Amino acid sequence: MAHEELTKLPGGMLRYSYVLDDNETKAVEVFALADVATPYKQRFLDEIHEQDWIVDYGCNLQDRPYKADFFICTTDAAW
């Protein structure tokens, strides 16, 4: 599981990308942690924690992807 990537997009939306096989032929890209497969979910949670991000999970959107997670701020900025 070495091909996971968490990206903060313009506007704060998060993108979770990972590959399911060593050949990198089966890639997954989702915008809500709830949609990430279980073995990969903890890796993304660890990265969010390491970066001290506060994240708003599962925000409803009018357009695709309809639900997404958004970066709010870092924990030090929240104080």
Side-chain angles (χ1 to χ4, degrees):
M1 289 189 273
H3 302 288
E4 300 90 3
E5 182 177 9
L6 173 61
T7 306
K8 183 174 56 167
L9 301 172
M13 185 184 292
L14 299 180
R15 179 178 59 210
Y16 307 92
S17 306
Y18 55 98
V19 294
L20 298 175
D21 59 3
D22 291 335
N23 297 332
E24 298 187 21
T25 58
K26 296 178 184 175
V28 176
E29 181 177 280
V30 296
F31 299 90
L33 189 62
D35 296 331
V36 173
T38 302
Y40 303 92
K41 196 173 285 192
Q42 189 59 51
R43 162 69 178 96
F44 291 119
L45 284 170
D46 291 345
E47 186 171 346
I48 289 168
H49 178 73
E50 287 171 14
Q51 295 188 46
D52 290 327
W53 286 0
I54 295 175
V55 175
D56 191 4
Y57 294 98
C59 296
N60 291 318
L61 305 172
Q62 291 182 341
D63 297 316
R64 289 189 133 196
Y66 301 114
K67 276 197 181 267
D69 299 339
F70 283 85
F71 166 83
I72 302 299
C73 63
T74 58
T75 56
D76 62 333
W79 299 104

